[in-house]
Amino acid sequence: MSVRVLVVDDQRLVREGIASLLGIQPGIAVVGTAATGREAIERTLALGPDVVLMDVRMPEMDGVDAVAVLRRRAPACRVVMLTTFDDEEYVVQALRAGAAGYLLKDLPAAELAESVRLAHAGVTQLDDTAARHVAAALSAHPASAEVLTSRETEVLRMVATGATNREIATRLYLSEGTVKNHISRILARLGLRDRTQAAIYARDRGLI
């Protein structure tokens, strides 16, 4: 089945262009567009998209605030920020609000479509610049598993002790699939390559 996508951008030409380009990509079905954060919430609740591509700066309600609302009201929907703004503050705020990724608008259509598919599969997508900002924020605030949720920090600690996905799932009463998704998000948000780097990261920052 195709991944259902809602495109949110306050510039009509941009959102219609993104919607048109995505609409012809295999495995993608654009179900609608929205021009503001408030409209994005309304249309998400009405249309039930799998993934929302959300601009950051918009009138009425910006993208970060809209993400926070959607995480509460449509938790199954994955929201990926798609913007021209690569400021560290926007990146960190968006991830803390619950965004499933942060991408810049200069992506080729095929890469954007693949990012949408990966987001739907539970893999957090970060532009290289966004990943560097996350790394800088973590360096400035070493304890800052603030970028991670409390559950992700818990999973990271267990990864660092050498626990397998099955062991983590058993101890935290989660499915193995959920544990895999948590680990994918942890690696993406911290700019790490694998479990070994995650374990080193956790030890260096005194998380275990």
Side-chain angles (χ1 to χ4, degrees):
M1 292 180 63
S2 294
V3 180
R4 294 163 53 82
V5 180
L6 177 73
V7 178
V8 185
D9 197 290
D10 62 328
Q11 296 183 40
R12 182 174 181 177
L13 188 61
V14 172
R15 70 174 176 271
E16 290 184 353
I18 292 171
S20 296
L21 289 170
L22 270 183
I24 60 175
Q25 297 298 315
I28 304 290
V30 177
V31 297
T33 62
T36 69
R38 199 174 305 282
E39 188 180 357
I41 294 167
E42 294 170 356
R43 304 223 71 193
T44 296
L45 296 177
L47 299 171
D50 300 307
V51 176
V52 174
L53 291 177
M54 181 89 72
D55 194 12
V56 171
R57 285 172 53 173
M58 294 179 290
E60 292 185 29
M61 176 187 284
D62 69 20
V64 173
D65 289 340
V67 171
V69 174
L70 287 176
R71 293 307 298 148
R72 295 194 305 271
R73 300 188 63 186
C77 178
R78 306 275 292 170
V79 183
V80 176
M81 312 309 288
L82 182 65
T83 180
T84 56
F85 299 101
D86 63 355
D87 298 350
E88 180 178 317
E89 184 177 354
Y90 283 135
V91 175
V92 175
Q93 284 182 353
L95 294 177
R96 284 178 180 164
Y102 198 103
L103 303 173
L104 299 184
K105 288 178 181 172
D106 58 357
L107 273 180
E111 287 185 28
L112 179 57
E114 180 62 12
S115 293
V116 166
R117 296 186 201 99
L118 288 171
H120 179 48
V123 180
T124 297
Q125 300 294 294
L126 284 181
D127 173 84
D128 288 345
T129 303
R132 284 195 295 273
H133 285 323
V134 171
L138 288 168
S139 298
H141 308 283
S144 95
E146 283 181 84
V147 180
L148 304 179
T149 66
S150 58
R151 176 47 60 88
E152 286 166 350
T153 302
E154 200 172 11
V155 171
L156 176 59
R157 285 194 178 104
M158 295 184 71
V159 167
T161 66
T164 65
N165 287 356
R166 178 172 294 181
E167 290 169 337
I168 295 171
T170 300
R171 289 187 215 170
L172 299 182
Y173 302 100
L174 301 171
S175 70
E176 284 191 58
T178 299
V179 171
K180 287 180 183 177
N181 288 342
H182 278 312
I183 293 172
S184 294
R185 285 195 292 272
I186 290 166
L187 297 178
R189 288 181 180 178
L190 301 182
L192 304 174
R193 187 176 61 250
D194 52 33
R195 295 171 77 104
T196 300
Q197 286 192 351
I200 293 170
Y201 173 93
R203 290 190 181 109
D204 286 348
R205 284 158 180 76
L207 294 180
I208 57 171

